Amino acid sequence: MSNIIVLSGSPRKGGNTDLLVDAFVKGAEKNNNVEVVSVADYKVNPCIGCNSCFDREEHECFQQDDMQIVYDKLKCADVIVVASPVYFYGVSAQLKAIIDRYILL
Ligand SMILES: Cc1cc2nc3c(=O)[nH]c(=O)nc-3n(C[C@H](O)[C@H](O)[C@H](O)COP(=O)(O)O)c2cc1C
């Protein structure tokens, strides 16, 4: 039994990414604790590249926004599953902001 956090990376609720996430959750929750964190529910600023997180305890960003809530959820995860729409050959901007702000050293 693992704690699985699913990062759902589409700002469009109920779209293709959420459909995929729902199918994953349906299977995974049979043997695991699963929580979905949708980027549509959080306002996370982009990383500004100051690198001050390298020196901070637990490496959290100095910016005080919804990423503080996301940090708490990710910290409890044994497994992080990432789902994203393709936005110009990459992940969505909302998901990229979370990835950039989540530094594990
Ligand atoms: C800003 C933007 C950029 C996109 N760029 C691509 C792309 O580069 N390649 C692609 O195949 N689809 C691209 N798409 C289409 C989305 O990946 C596709 O519609 C996806 O299923 C949307 O996910 P959603 O339903 O969860 O919002 C783009 C869509 C948007 C809104």
Side-chain angles (χ1 to χ4, degrees):
M1 177 77 78
S2 296
N3 287 324
I4 301 177
I5 296 290
V6 185
L7 274 176
S8 188
S10 177
R12 192 168 77 106
K13 283 254 185 188
N16 298 317
T17 307
D18 282 353
L19 279 175
L20 188 71
V21 165
D22 289 347
F24 173 83
V25 170
K26 202 172 163 189
E29 70 186 0
K30 288 180 185 147
N31 297 307
N32 302 281
N33 297 316
V34 185
E35 184 179 358
V36 176
V37 174
S38 171
V39 300
D41 294 329
Y42 301 95
K43 179 101 181 68
V44 175
N45 296 321
C47 170
I48 63 164
C50 68
N51 290 343
S52 66
C53 56
F54 290 177
D55 302 321
R56 198 165 296 111
E57 199 174 336
E58 296 196 10
H59 311 296
E60 293 190 358
C61 182
F62 77 95
Q63 299 187 66
Q64 295 297 310
D65 57 16
D66 287 349
M67 191 60 196
Q68 312 307 320
I69 303 166
V70 178
Y71 280 134
D72 287 343
K73 292 180 181 296
L74 293 176
K75 270 184 218 163
C76 301
D78 300 308
V79 176
I80 299 171
V81 174
V82 178
S84 180
V86 176
Y87 275 12
F88 217 100
Y89 307 103
V91 299
S92 68
Q94 293 83 355
L95 180 60
K96 184 65 162 58
I98 289 176
I99 292 170
D100 287 349
R101 297 271 302 279
Y102 190 54
I103 292 199
L104 283 175
L105 297 175

